[in-house]
Amino acid sequence: MGGRTTIRDVAAAAGVSVTAVSLVLNNRPSRVSEERRRIILEAAERLHYVPNQVARTLVTQRSMMLALVVPDIQNLFFAALAKRVEDECRQAGYSLIIANNSDSRAAESDIMRRLSARGVDGIFLIAAGESCVDVDDLRSDVSECRCPVLFVDRLADLDWIDGVGIDNRAGGRMAAQFLLECGHRRIACISGDIRVGNAYERREGFIQALRDADGITPVIVAEGDYRFEGGYDAADSVLDSDATAVFCCNDLMAMGLMRRMHERGMNVPDDMSVIGYDGIAERFGFDNPLTTVGQKIGWLAHETVKLMLDRIEQDKESEPRHVILPPELIRRGTVRII
């Protein structure tokens, strides 16, 4: 059989009407018997039938496309998360569009308008840093979208929108408590932009855990930008202090810090113990096994897609729902006991 297999070809092979095939393949209510349904599905599989998505959209009012908007696709955490979200979407029969907003509010607003006009069935949004500061503008953009929008990872002002993320405050506490258990008392921190919700929560959880331990305060708190260069640029101020350990609020900054340590002839963990956050360094072949607070990216992706599909397919009008997942401590070789 030449050319693209059509619904008429499936109907002829199954010995049924085109209408019956359409009802079965679109999973619509019908009086088609289970036996005939089986025959139709087997014929479609045998002929390698691929639905005409344009035609299906006209019938179902669904594009079977979802979109993920990220601040920086070059960030290894966002890249790893995008891969796992795409896997989950594919298993559910959806295609995923990935868009990069370059951590810009203006770009994010334009992308959301374009995706909504294109007819995607839902948007997963990791908000730009500016959007976490001025939520009103973002809320206005969401209200104009023709599809559900779900916050992922950066969960700012969650009372009005669905969201899935990690308990970042608990993760910061976890990092501090582990360093304290290892005997460290002079501890530094390289945070992200604290205007962004997850960066603020990680830092505050970390500082509060130190404060609860006999009033300890960080030796120094340097602000990075969640990028490799942010950790590298902040490294000298940390390394020139009397800190014995440092908590980097993501793995990329920890990698940047350790690169600078190597340049200065310093060793991890002998000269400085280092703990990161995310759990992505080893996944991308980083050769120094990093002690870190892991975000369980596969679980995060699964719960993110699950909540979106529930919203699309079953429950469009209920109150916003939030899924907050626990982090995990991943002990490797960059923290020593003193």
Side-chain angles (χ1 to χ4, degrees), residues 143-209:
S143 69
E144 294 176 5
C145 285
R146 304 171 187 173
C147 63
V149 178
L150 187 154
F151 271 21
V152 186
D153 183 49
R154 295 180 174 180
L155 306 184
D157 192 13
L158 265 182
D159 61 337
W160 58 278
I161 192 169
D162 290 337
V164 181
I166 304 293
D167 188 340
N168 287 285
R169 190 173 287 259
R173 288 197 303 270
M174 190 176 289
Q177 289 164 356
F178 179 62
L179 292 176
L180 291 168
E181 289 169 7
C182 291
H184 296 277
R185 293 297 181 269
R186 300 190 308 278
I187 305 173
C189 175
I190 302 178
S191 77
D193 182 347
I194 61 171
R195 297 176 302 169
V196 178
N198 59 2
Y200 176 81
E201 293 293 320
R202 290 175 197 178
R203 191 188 75 164
E204 289 306 297
F206 174 77
I207 292 175
Q208 185 61 52

Side-chain angles (χ1 to χ4, degrees), residues 78-95:
F78 296 140
L81 180 60
K83 171 64 169 61
R84 298 303 291 268
V85 170
E86 185 177 28
D87 291 343
E88 293 284 338
C89 289
R90 185 184 303 112
Q91 290 179 21
Y94 284 80
S95 298

Side-chain angles (χ1 to χ4, degrees), residues 184 186-188 235 237-247 257-258 261 266-275 333-336:
H184 296 277
R186 300 190 308 278
I187 305 173
S237 62
V238 171
L239 300 175
D240 290 337
S241 72
D242 65 349
T244 62
V246 57
F247 169 47
L257 171 90
M258 287 189 282
M261 288 183 65
M266 302 175 72
N267 296 314
V268 178
D270 296 334
D271 296 307
M272 177 76 70
S273 289
V274 180
I275 183 170
T334 57
V335 175
R336 70 183 179 98

Side-chain angles (χ1 to χ4, degrees), residues 20-310:
V21 173
S22 177
L23 291 171
V24 169
L25 295 184
N26 286 297
N27 200 28
R28 297 173 67 83
S30 71
R31 296 181 180 178
V32 178
S33 69
E34 287 303 315
E35 176 63 17
R36 285 192 178 275
R37 179 181 296 273
R38 180 185 63 79
I39 292 171
I40 291 170
L41 293 175
E42 288 179 352
E45 182 176 4
R46 185 171 65 254
L47 296 175
H48 304 291
Y49 172 70
V50 178
N52 183 322
Q53 189 56 56
V54 174
R56 173 173 279 189
T57 297
L58 294 175
V59 174
T60 65
Q61 298 299 303
R62 290 188 193 166
S63 66
M64 300 305 291
M65 289 191 300
L66 299 171
L68 171 64
V69 183
V70 301
D72 180 6
I73 197 61
Q74 291 181 312
N75 182 304
L76 300 184
F77 171 74
F78 296 140
L81 180 60
K83 171 64 169 61
R84 298 303 291 268
V85 170
E86 185 177 28
D87 291 343
E88 293 284 338
C89 289
R90 185 184 303 112
Q91 290 179 21
Y94 284 80
S95 298
L96 182 70
I97 299 170
I98 300 172
N100 187 74
N101 65 24
S102 300
D103 219 10
S104 161
R105 169 91 271 275
E108 178 179 81
S109 180
D110 181 63
I111 289 168
M112 290 177 67
R113 283 197 298 270
R114 290 173 182 270
L115 290 171
S116 179
R118 186 168 179 174
V120 298
D121 295 326
I123 298 174
F124 305 110
L125 177 64
I126 305 176
E130 298 169 76
S131 298
C132 297
V133 178
D134 189 357
V135 178
D136 289 342
D137 284 347
L138 176 58
R139 189 166 183 167
S140 176
D141 286 344
V142 170
S143 69
E144 294 176 5
C145 285
R146 304 171 187 173
C147 63
V149 178
L150 187 154
F151 271 21
V152 186
D153 183 49
R154 295 180 174 180
L155 306 184
D157 192 13
L158 265 182
D159 61 337
W160 58 278
I161 192 169
D162 290 337
V164 181
I166 304 293
D167 188 340
N168 287 285
R169 190 173 287 259
R173 288 197 303 270
M174 190 176 289
Q177 289 164 356
F178 179 62
L179 292 176
L180 291 168
E181 289 169 7
C182 291
H184 296 277
R185 293 297 181 269
R186 300 190 308 278
I187 305 173
C189 175
I190 302 178
S191 77
D193 182 347
I194 61 171
R195 297 176 302 169
V196 178
N198 59 2
Y200 176 81
E201 293 293 320
R202 290 175 197 178
R203 191 188 75 164
E204 289 306 297
F206 174 77
I207 292 175
Q208 185 61 52
L210 294 183
R211 188 179 297 125
D212 291 343
D214 299 323
I216 295 173
T217 58
V219 170
I220 184 174
V221 178
E223 186 169 312
D225 57 5
Y226 275 0
R227 293 177 171 85
F228 181 95
E229 294 79 6
Y232 182 92
D233 292 342
D236 284 333
S237 62
V238 171
L239 300 175
D240 290 337
S241 72
D242 65 349
T244 62
V246 57
F247 169 47
C248 299
C249 288
N250 79 344
D251 286 352
L252 276 177
M253 292 191 299
M255 293 180 204
L257 171 90
M258 287 189 282
R259 168 67 66 82
R260 182 58 181 148
M261 288 183 65
H262 178 73
E263 291 176 354
R264 291 181 53 163
M266 302 175 72
N267 296 314
V268 178
D270 296 334
D271 296 307
M272 177 76 70
S273 289
V274 180
I275 183 170
Y277 198 110
D278 281 339
I280 53 89
E282 194 169 71
R283 180 179 287 110
F284 287 89
F286 186 60
D287 59 4
N288 196 344
L290 177 65
T291 298
T292 188
V293 178
Q295 294 219 59
K296 301 181 181 178
I297 293 175
W299 191 12
L300 178 62
H302 176 77
E303 292 297 329
T304 294
V305 175
K306 180 177 181 293
L307 180 53
M308 176 64 80
L309 297 184
D310 286 348

